[in-house]
Amino acid sequence: MSSSAAPPGRAAGPGVYGDLEAFSDLDLDDLAIAAAALCRTPIALVSILDGDQLWFSARVGTDQTYGALANSGCAAVIARGAPVVIPDMMADPETRKNSLVCGGPGLRFYAGYPLFTAENETFGTLCVVDLYSRPQGLSERENDGLAALARQAMRLMELRRETIAQERRLAAQQLRRKRVAREARQADAERRHAREKYALQQAAGAAGGVGIYEYDLVSGDITVSPEVCRIIGMPVTEIVTAPQWAQRVHQDDRVHIPLLSELLDGSAPLKLDYRIIRDDNRQERWVRRQGVLDRDGAGRPIRLIGTLQDITPEKNATSRLTTLLAVEDALRAATTRRQALAEACGLLGRRLEVQRVGFATITVRDELFTIDHGWCSPDVSPISGDFLFQTFRRTSDFLRSGAVLILDDLSSPSWMQEEQDACRALEVEAQIVVPKMDHGELTGCLFVHSATPRGWTLDEASFIRTTADRIFTALDEWDTEAQQEIVNHEILHRLKNTLSIVQSLAHQGFRNVDDQGPLRTFTSRLVALSAAHDLLMRRNWQSTDLASLVCGVLTPLGVEDRVEVSGPFLKLGPDTATSFSMVLHELATNAMKYGALSVPQGKVSLNWTITGAEAVMTLTWREAGGPSVTPPERTGFGVRLLKAGLGRHGKTELHYASTGLCADLTAPTLSLATL
């Protein structure tokens, strides 16, 4: 393809094949359509060399009829007499000069095959052009198909040359032979059309699994290639009527098939994906129909010409990936183990259109299957409870090996005969069972049941196995969390027992002491420590946050409404949470005894911020409205605890202002979160 238009006033001089316009033919257009469909490009051309110009005898994707040979991809094909592939025309030193490459529409990819005359001279090219570069070039199948179409184009033009020569000879004969000449031309044209059409269908079908069709909008007949017949599973035939074709369309997709009136007024989509039911095995397949409308001299559509391709693998792969992502989302979003199983099994079952999907816990020691939960379609009964290995001896022995059980038909394997009655009682005729192995031991299985015999495909089996792996991983996480929660509760229970013993010992030791103040202080510190442990237990002893810890410390003291708290989310590690709880408790109890919280009008402001590139936390405690405070005369445990603050990574400053106690604590957030 090139950037120049035909020179003004150009007369088409006769070449070796006569007038160039004689080769403007719908059959060549079909070849261009087939080439574009085969190579998945928007543009395809059959170009004939005419001096320094190229004449496009057939074209798809462009309205140009002429172009200059110079700086075009075809120039390299004609110069070499061999196929040429240019992955990026902007990178080629010659084609990058072409205005259609460096300017609009911005051509990028080119692939062309030479057209040779019977004298082995280069007559022109068959090429495909894309607006996007293709570093990988053409596939082997596309190369072979494009070569076949190029040979077919030349055969068509050879036939046309012979026809033209014969017409000229017959035209020069005497008038008495005109009637015979007309009959001969008509018979020859019919034979030629049949040969060309059959060759075109064969070449297109063999090249890329693409079927060719022609829908006559006047008669309603659809001429189909052998590849179309293979796709829809019918014996090879040439003509199919429109009603016969409509019967093969899936019932749910018939509403999407355009009406004849829509094709005639040009409103019908020319590219359409829908399902068909094959004639031979009644299987459902997805097809993609593409086409172009052929119009008469008045511009009225008279034929729909296009291609048909089986896209079932592409559709299935997309659907399976979508389902797998949905399963993962459901497993992440589930709040209970039961919900996770129900939603994941339901998604898998509806995607495969089976009758039952579920999970069973297996106890090898007790030789028992226990159905945890699952999903079933409305037309079968759900199953639950325990099932003995003895009932499904063959299946249990097979699963113990760690292999996936794939059964297409319950009646076919002889070794399953002893389980047939038990399976049919559960309405199972075909199944896939994926074992769950933990350290070499069988602990569970995911089962997929079909109420009718079914030929499981390799893709289906792989999809079920992949989904099972996702479900097994999620179940392990649920089980681990449940076990950890039991351990946490046990640890907390024992810790509280220990604190209770400590508290009892303290009460026993202070029983005969008149001043019970130190005992109350000690007891309140134990309560603060217990609050921090409660928060950490709820977070699996990993971490908590400062706002939750403040609430846990102040609430038991009954002063949470008198302390104004503000600050961003701040993660605290286990050790830091314990230290913080003691510091906050000491500040609060000190304020209740001597500071702002000791009088009704007193208030406290507790605020923390995170600043700087190193993310340093600064916490401030400000008392107001209370009695005047002075530095203590002696340093007791409480003061030492406050000054110790957050340990060696932090810094604490205490100011005894006349308005109330001021405490400033600083520490890097990284150390707070990890310690």
Side-chain angles (χ1 to χ4, degrees):
M1 189 170 181
S2 66
S3 59
S4 301
R10 177 192 178 279
V16 67
Y17 280 67
D19 293 342
L20 293 179
E21 282 77 2
F23 297 100
S24 180
D25 187 272
L26 287 177
D27 292 322
L28 286 176
D29 289 343
D30 289 348
L31 283 175
I33 293 171
L38 171 67
C39 298
R40 298 168 288 111
T41 62
I43 302 172
L45 302 168
V46 176
S47 306
I48 296 178
L49 181 62
D50 184 23
D52 59 352
Q53 296 286 320
L54 292 170
W55 177 66
F56 307 138
S57 61
R59 54 194 178 274
V60 172
T62 179
D63 294 327
Q64 285 189 235
T65 56
Y66 289 92
L69 177 63
N71 299 326
S72 68
C74 295
V77 177
I78 293 172
R80 302 175 189 175
V84 171
V85 175
I86 304 175
D88 188 349
M89 299 178 76
M90 277 297 293
D92 186 272
E94 292 299 323
T95 57
R96 66 190 302 174
K97 303 174 184 177
N98 194 310
S99 62
L100 296 181
V101 175
C102 58
L107 305 181
R108 289 295 179 269
F109 172 78
Y110 173 91
Y113 271 74
L115 304 178
F116 295 108
T117 67
E119 294 77 18
N120 203 31
E121 296 178 352
T122 304
F123 181 65
T125 66
L126 170 64
C127 67
V128 293
V129 185
D130 203 342
L131 301 178
Y132 300 95
S133 62
R134 293 190 185 181
Q136 73 278 12
L138 296 178
S139 68
E140 182 178 356
R141 172 175 281 189
E142 291 169 340
N143 268 313
D144 294 342
L146 200 59
L149 293 175
R151 293 191 296 271
Q152 187 61 26
M154 204 59 225
R155 291 191 191 103
L156 289 175
M157 288 187 280
E158 289 283 359
L159 290 172
R160 182 54 55 87
R161 177 174 70 162
E162 295 173 4
T163 301
I164 293 173
Q166 182 179 4
E167 289 174 351
R168 288 175 176 175
R169 289 194 299 270
L170 291 175
Q173 292 179 354
Q174 297 178 356
L175 292 178
R176 66 177 181 272
R177 303 185 60 184
K178 284 185 178 180
R179 181 177 59 84
V180 177
R182 285 196 302 271
E183 293 175 352
R185 286 195 301 269
Q186 182 178 358
D188 180 75
E190 291 175 353
R191 289 192 299 271
R192 174 180 51 79
H193 184 70
R195 289 195 303 270
E196 293 171 352
K197 182 178 297 183
Y198 179 77
L200 175 62
Q201 293 170 349
Q202 291 288 69
V210 178
I212 308 295
Y213 69 88
E214 295 181 10
Y215 179 17
D216 190 320
L217 303 182
V218 178
S219 67
D221 290 340
I222 305 174
T223 304
V224 296
S225 71
E227 185 66 15
V228 170
C229 298
R230 186 197 65 77
I231 291 173
I232 63 177
M234 63 178 291
V236 175
T237 185
E238 188 174 354
I239 301 295
V240 178
T241 65
Q244 289 173 337
W245 184 270
Q247 291 176 359
R248 293 173 170 86
V249 178
H250 193 286
Q251 186 174 0
D252 295 343
D253 291 348
R254 291 178 184 175
V255 295
H256 304 304
I257 303 301
L259 302 174
L260 177 61
S261 59
E262 294 174 325
L263 289 169
L264 292 175
D265 65 20
S267 63
L270 298 181
K271 179 180 180 181
L272 190 64
D273 294 349
Y274 57 88
R275 291 167 292 175
I276 62 164
I277 304 299
R278 285 175 58 94
D279 283 2
D280 52 0
N281 54 18
R282 308 308 298 168
Q283 284 187 353
E284 176 186 301
R285 306 293 291 179
W286 276 95
V287 298
R288 175 167 295 158
R289 189 216 72 189
Q290 302 184 82
V292 293
L293 286 171
D294 180 30
R295 302 175 184 271
D296 61 14
R300 293 184 296 267
I302 56 173
R303 289 193 302 173
L304 177 66
I305 306 169
T307 60
L308 189 79
Q309 190 172 9
D310 187 336
I311 60 169
T312 305
E314 173 186 336
K315 285 285 187 179
N316 286 342
T318 301
S319 179
R320 284 192 291 270
L321 178 58
T322 301
T323 302
L324 188 60
L325 293 175
V327 167
E328 293 178 343
D329 290 341
L331 292 173
R332 281 194 298 269
T335 56
T336 65
R337 189 179 191 274
R338 182 182 181 88
Q339 180 189 1
L341 270 176
E343 294 186 3
C345 292
L347 288 166
L348 180 59
R350 286 186 288 271
R351 169 65 189 89
L352 295 171
E353 296 181 352
V354 294
Q355 281 64 56
R356 189 184 293 117
V357 179
F359 177 80
T361 300
I362 297 176
T363 309
V364 175
R365 182 185 59 186
D366 299 333
E367 296 192 339
L368 204 63
F369 293 90
T370 302
I371 306 299
D372 276 11
H373 198 65
W375 167 91
C376 69
S377 63
D379 53 338
V380 298
S381 303
I383 59 176
S384 60
D386 296 336
F387 294 87
L388 297 174
F389 274 24
Q390 184 177 356
T391 307
F392 301 98
R393 174 61 61 185
R394 292 286 190 175
T395 298
S396 59
D397 289 344
F398 192 92
L399 294 178
R400 285 190 192 187
S401 68
V404 178
L405 174 64
I406 301 176
L407 185 65
D408 293 339
D409 189 342
L410 185 65
S411 304
S412 58
S414 58
W415 56 272
M416 282 294 293
Q417 290 182 358
E418 60 185 81
E419 296 184 14
Q420 287 183 5
D421 293 340
C423 288
R424 285 178 175 146
L426 300 176
E427 301 174 86
V428 178
E429 290 292 336
Q431 63 178 331
I432 289 183
V433 185
V434 182
K436 183 177 183 294
M437 308 295 292
D438 292 327
H439 304 291
E441 182 178 351
L442 179 65
T443 60
C445 66
L446 181 81
F447 55 85
V448 178
H449 289 167
S450 173
T452 58
R454 174 167 179 160
W456 302 102
T457 67
L458 181 61
D459 287 341
E460 287 175 334
S462 177
F463 172 58
I464 293 172
R465 180 59 186 268
T466 302
T467 306
D469 289 342
R470 303 294 195 279
I471 294 175
F472 293 164
T473 300
L475 293 180
D476 286 341
E477 292 176 356
W478 279 103
D479 294 340
T480 300
E481 289 180 5
Q483 293 171 1
Q484 186 62 50
E485 187 174 355
I486 294 173
V487 172
N488 288 344
H489 279 290
E490 181 63 23
I491 292 174
L492 183 62
H493 176 70
R494 295 189 180 187
L495 181 59
K496 286 188 174 181
N497 285 343
T498 302
L499 293 177
S500 296
I501 293 172
V502 173
Q503 189 174 8
S504 297
L505 291 173
H507 278 282
Q508 185 69 23
F510 284 88
R511 183 176 56 182
N512 298 321
V513 177
D514 294 335
D515 184 6
Q516 294 292 307
L519 176 61
R520 288 191 294 271
T521 300
F522 179 74
T523 301
S524 64
R525 286 169 179 163
L526 287 180
V527 172
L529 190 61
S530 178
H533 290 162
D534 278 340
L535 288 173
L536 289 171
M537 189 278 296
R538 295 191 203 112
R539 310 279 177 95
N540 203 20
W541 295 96
Q542 296 297 316
S543 64
T544 186
D545 66 280
L546 182 54
S548 299
L549 185 65
V550 169
C551 181
V553 171
L554 297 181
T555 300
L557 299 176
V559 296
E560 67 276 10
D561 294 336
R562 300 181 62 187
V563 180
E564 183 180 345
V565 180
S566 64
F569 176 85
L570 181 61
K571 180 180 178 182
L572 302 178
D575 292 344
T576 306
T578 302
S579 300
F580 245 125
S581 68
M582 300 305 295
V583 169
L584 291 172
H585 176 268
E586 202 63 35
L587 287 170
T589 55
N590 183 71
M592 293 171 65
K593 292 178 181 179
Y594 314 110
L597 300 182
S598 65
V599 295
Q601 67 273 18
K603 292 286 186 180
V604 175
S605 172
L606 176 59
N607 173 266
W608 63 90
T609 58
I610 300 174
T611 58
E614 297 182 357
V616 175
M617 179 219 68
T618 301
L619 181 143
T620 60
W621 172 280
R622 297 288 185 270
E623 299 181 18
S628 178
V629 297
T630 58
E633 296 180 358
R634 63 184 183 86
T635 302
F637 175 78
V639 175
R640 290 197 301 271
L641 179 62
L642 290 176
K643 288 184 176 181
L646 304 177
R648 61 188 180 88
H649 293 284
K651 180 181 178 182
T652 303
E653 294 183 1
L654 299 178
H655 305 283
Y656 296 92
S658 59
T659 56
L661 176 65
C662 301
D664 296 308
L665 287 79
T666 58
T669 57
L670 180 61
S671 65
L672 296 177
T674 56
L675 296 179

